[in-house]
Amino acid sequence: MREALVPAYTRIVNHFNSETFVFTHPHEGGISSRMDVVLGKGGSGGGNAVAHIHPGTDEIFTVNSGCVMVMIDGKEYFAAEGQSITVPKGASHFFRNAFDGDTHLTVTFVTAQQHLRFFLNIARWTSEYPSYFKPDGSVKLLPIALGLNAFPDHLYISGPPVWVQKALYATLAPIARLMGYRLAIRPASRAERRAIENEQAFAE
């Protein structure tokens, strides 16, 4: 098994969104990646409930306790304890707590891509670089451009064409670096990607 990106069950609190990331399975190499998310009362996920897409993977929300609302292509879906909601790849979505208390979710991405690294990066930003965020909890343009350019085809905002976003992020990423913005965790190197892909192929 590959070295864990962080110790198992590392918890990082996003105070902006009343959202806690729990990295329950911090190893890469399988066909899927997953983590837990705990939403406090009124809490939301997905970039402060900004509608977005994952073009290369399905996303599965499994409720361990509480209740979640997942908006998919403009339609609300609810899941309570023991139930799951699948967001097909490319579908516009966001999610929020629909329970008067904490909601505990397991979030699974199939295929894995580098979603563990991507969300670990966002999670660490919330605690280590809070200045990267606006008061409403959304990430400022330059750091999010840096992150989305570093992890292409992982997440895009719903609405603008993907090619426009790719061009914008590629243009702004070097400016972000010049302005001092930094990734909390880098994408896998080419050699690491090959090793991960080989492990994923073996797992299949």
Side-chain angles (χ1 to χ4, degrees):
M1 181 179 290
R2 296 178 60 81
E3 182 179 352
L5 296 175
V6 291
Y9 291 92
T10 292
R11 299 172 67 92
I12 303 177
V13 179
N14 176 358
H15 294 287
F16 295 106
N17 294 356
S18 297
E19 174 186 35
T20 299
F21 297 89
V22 187
F23 292 92
T24 52
H25 297 79
H27 295 87
E28 297 176 294
I31 59 174
S32 64
S33 60
R34 65 185 185 273
M35 68 196 75
D36 282 13
V37 173
V38 180
L39 299 175
K41 185 176 180 178
S44 63
N48 201 37
V50 173
H52 59 279
I53 65 170
H54 302 293
T57 180
D58 296 340
E59 185 175 13
I60 305 168
F61 296 89
T62 301
V63 181
N64 301 308
S65 62
C67 182
V68 69
M69 187 286 294
V70 183
M71 179 78 76
I72 306 174
D73 289 334
K75 184 176 179 180
E76 292 185 342
Y77 296 85
F78 291 85
E81 183 174 343
Q83 298 177 325
S84 296
I85 297 172
T86 297
V87 180
K89 63 182 179 181
S92 174
H93 66 285
F94 66 86
F95 62 98
R96 63 170 175 77
N97 193 354
F99 184 68
D100 189 23
D102 289 351
T103 288
H104 184 176
L105 309 167
T106 295
V107 182
T108 305
F109 295 95
V110 184
T111 57
Q113 295 183 288
Q114 294 188 57
H115 279 91
L116 283 176
R117 290 178 186 251
F118 177 77
F119 282 100
L120 181 58
N121 190 75
I122 297 296
R124 285 181 55 184
W125 274 356
T126 65
S127 62
E128 298 173 20
Y129 303 101
S131 63
Y132 288 14
F133 293 80
K134 300 176 183 178
D136 67 359
S138 58
V139 190
K140 293 178 181 177
L141 178 58
L142 285 178
I144 197 62
L146 178 66
L148 296 181
N149 186 66
F151 294 91
D153 298 322
H154 281 63
L155 184 150
Y156 295 101
I157 304 303
S158 299
V162 168
W163 69 268
V164 171
Q165 295 186 60
K166 284 186 174 182
L168 177 64
Y169 303 149
T171 300
L172 293 179
I175 299 172
R177 286 190 290 270
L178 287 173
M179 295 292 291
Y181 294 105
R182 295 291 181 266
L183 295 173
I185 181 170
R186 295 183 177 277
S189 67
R190 185 174 297 178
E192 288 174 320
R193 289 199 303 270
R194 284 198 298 267
I196 292 170
E197 289 167 1
N198 288 339
E199 291 173 18
Q200 289 172 342
F202 180 78
E204 292 174 353

